[in-house]
Structure formats: structure tokens, C-alpha cells
Amino acid sequence: MNHAWKRLRAEGVDVWIDVSATPGGAAREVRRALAQGVPAGARVGTASVDEIRQACDQLLPLHRASGGAKGVVSAPLQEGTTPGTETVAASWAARARRLRDEVARPNLVVRLPAGAADVATLRALFALGTAVEVSGVRSPRQYGQVATALLAALDRPHVAPARTPSLISFDIAALERHVDARLDLIGSDEAKALRGRAGLACARLAHRTHEVTFSSARWGALAAAGVPEPKPLWVTAGTTPARAAHAVQELVTRGTATSMTPAAARVLAESGTVSGDRVWRHYADAERTLAYLAWFDILVEPLANQTTPAPRTKTPPRKTSPLSPTPSHRHLTPA
């Protein structure tokens, strides 16, 4: 087994393979990942039903052996317009039902964008007996909103919970691209020292939000009833393999899942070092990072909702901070 994967599993981290950007080759990449180790899950992109079914079949033995907790495949629900006679929640549920019935595998997880993850929609999906991945979360506040909606949706009597935990996937790279573009425009040494730190800081604070939400008395009652706790899933695609592998190392903490592209998994196997929890003791450092960014007038919450890159045509005055942020611990030097 891949040593890095083995260390991640020993730290209580589920390892996922992310083949969402591999059209037509998802099942092949999952098969290759099985030769490296045993991925707890796979994220596929827009793929044919047959491709999704093949990926599910690859992981079905693990799904059965784990009692449904692992060995799952997350596939996206296609966005579309809602007919006038149908509510938004019913529309998403219809798409989920169609995908579930076409794939016809018990280890399918349906993937829903964070913007559509309201309580009514989540309840409609859970009523189908399927687990859900809420994707595209980019900030601690967004994570809190999704976690609260999931808690409310799961807190519903007379609905048998799915055995597979639902997931909240946090996109490490999406927010960081916006932040780094603005730091590059500022151009000072202090600004450059903050590059590559926003995604990790926000993910760590999102984890703190998760811990608060799912340590409440309300959740305790649901857990006692057998409802599996939703799990944070760190998504590291969308950046270079070296930076993705670095993020995987920096977000090691028990009870989470981390997804890597095949290229990032190879970098981690060749050069990475997994050395214990890197989240719990770093909440304060994450808050300092966001405070330094705020000093440069970079606020992560508004940027989390942006979908276009920051402009690079104008260069603002160089702003030099009296603060000297200390770069976070690194095992790899990201490219």
C-alpha cells in the first residue's frame, strides 16, 4: 500500500481519488487507485451512467465490508431550470432519483452545489435514502450555513437515515486563486508571504465550525439514533499537484476525508510526509492569517462568492504591513 495513504488512514483520514476532471476515464483511474491503496471514495465529473456504474462496482466490495461507511462514488446532479409546476426541492429530488435509478448501485452519493443546499432540498434528497455531498463550499461562513442546513434536514422524524455519511466538500483552491491574485497586485514582501495560505486558513476555521455544529445536544440526539455524522471533505483539485499534496498534509485531522487527483497522489507518495494532526492546534494561526489579509483589505467572505478571476490590469499602491506573518509549516515546496 502507498505509505502516505497508509499514514493518512492511521491518522483517521479517509483518502478519496478525484477524477472529476478525467472525462471517459473515471473507472480506469479508480482501478489504478485501488492498486495504490484502498480509496474510501471517488469523485467523478460529468460522466456516462455506465462510467459511474463501473466506478461504483470497483468500490462496492469496500462499501459492503464497511457497512456502507466507505467505498462510495460521488457524482454530480446536473443543474437545470425548474418547471413552473415544480418546486426547486422537487426538481433536485427528481434529478437525484433519476440518477439513482439509472446507476442502480447502493454506493452512489449525489453531489449538490452549495448554493442549492437549503433545508427543503436536502430533506427531499434524504427522503430518497441516498447520501449527499454538498460541494463548492469556500469559506467558514458558507460551511456553517451548509452544516446548519444539514443538521436541520437530518433532524426529521420517521425518515430512516442513509448508512453512508453525507459530506461537505471544501474547495481549497477556488478562494485562494482570488486572494493570491489580489496579493500579487499589492506586491509587497508581506503580501507575498501570505500567498497560498488563505485556503488552508479557511478550511481550518471551517473545521472548527463543523466541530461546534456537530457537538450540540441536537446533534447528540441524532447520533444516538444512528444518524452518521456528515464529514468534511477537503477538495484539492484545481491547483498544481505539489500544492494539492501540500494541502493534504496540512489538513490532516481525524474524522475528515481528503480528495486528491491521481497526479497529486503521486506527488504525495514520492515526496510527502504525514506527521500528525495539522488542524486542531492551528485555529489561532488561521485567524491571524485572515486578520493579515483583512489589513490588506482582502476579506474572504465576499471573495468566496465570486466566480471570475481578480483583474490584473491595475496595480494599486504597494501597502507594507507592520505585521510579519510567519509562513505555515511546510513539508513540500508548492510549485
Side-chain angles (χ1 to χ4, degrees):
M1 178 186 291
N2 180 314
H3 179 69
W5 285 30
K6 186 175 181 180
R7 287 293 304 140
L8 286 167
R9 292 180 64 187
E11 294 291 343
V13 177
D14 286 347
V15 181
W16 282 49
I17 191 74
D18 192 330
V19 291
S20 57
T22 312
R28 181 182 64 251
E29 291 296 346
V30 171
R31 186 163 53 251
R32 288 177 177 172
L34 284 167
Q36 293 269 325
V38 183
R43 301 179 84 242
V44 302
T46 303
S48 67
V49 169
D50 186 59
E51 190 79 12
I52 298 171
R53 192 181 292 127
Q54 289 181 45
C56 286
D57 288 342
Q58 298 278 355
L59 295 176
L60 195 53
L62 175 60
H63 185 259
R64 289 169 175 161
S66 65
K70 299 179 182 180
V72 298
V73 175
S74 170
L77 295 177
Q78 299 304 310
E79 298 193 46
T81 57
T82 301
T85 59
E86 196 173 50
T87 66
V88 173
S91 177
W92 282 110
R95 292 170 226 170
R97 185 184 299 106
R98 183 164 54 251
L99 182 62
R100 180 201 64 182
D101 293 346
E102 289 175 345
V103 174
R105 295 295 186 272
N107 54 337
L108 174 70
V109 173
V110 297
R111 191 155 75 241
L112 179 76
D118 56 57
V119 175
T121 299
L122 290 169
R123 282 182 172 172
L125 296 180
F126 290 143
L128 300 175
T130 183
V132 177
E133 177 195 341
V134 180
S135 67
V137 175
R138 300 176 179 180
S139 74
R141 182 183 299 169
Q142 286 182 352
Y143 194 100
Q145 292 168 344
V146 170
T148 300
L150 270 173
L151 179 56
L154 289 166
D155 190 6
R156 189 177 187 183
H158 313 306
V159 174
R163 294 181 302 168
T164 301
S166 290
L167 301 122
I168 308 174
S169 60
F170 194 99
D171 191 335
I172 306 299
L175 172 68
E176 204 160 84
R177 284 193 294 268
H178 292 289
V179 172
D180 286 357
R182 283 158 175 76
L183 292 171
D184 289 342
L185 286 175
I186 294 167
S188 66
D189 290 341
E190 291 86 350
K192 292 176 182 178
L194 289 168
R195 293 189 86 259
R197 295 179 61 183
L200 294 177
C202 287
R204 286 168 172 148
L205 294 179
H207 182 268
R208 182 175 65 180
T209 298
H210 181 97
E211 292 297 300
V212 171
T213 303
F214 294 102
S215 62
S216 64
R218 185 182 185 186
W219 172 252
L222 289 171
V227 179
E229 181 178 329
K231 184 169 289 192
L233 171 63
W234 312 126
V235 175
T236 60
T239 185
T240 65
R243 290 192 72 166
H246 168 65
V248 168
Q249 294 172 140
E250 289 295 314
L251 293 173
V252 172
T253 190
R254 187 166 297 277
T256 61
T258 191
S259 69
M260 292 177 282
T261 63
R266 286 192 292 271
V267 171
L268 185 69
E270 293 166 1
S271 310
T273 303
V274 177
S275 58
D277 192 290
R278 299 288 303 160
V279 175
W280 275 89
R281 296 190 303 274
H282 295 270
Y283 293 152
D285 180 65
E287 288 182 330
R288 282 193 294 271
T289 295
L290 297 194
Y292 297 148
L293 290 172
W295 194 91
F296 285 108
D297 299 323
I298 299 174
L299 304 179
V300 298
E301 293 296 343
L303 289 178
N305 296 315
Q306 292 193 12
T307 58
T308 56
R312 294 179 176 270
T313 55
K314 296 181 180 179
T315 303
R318 292 169 65 91
K319 190 172 185 180
T320 304
S321 168
L323 303 173
S324 297
T326 302
S328 60
H329 172 70
R330 295 174 184 240
H331 300 301
L332 294 172
T333 302

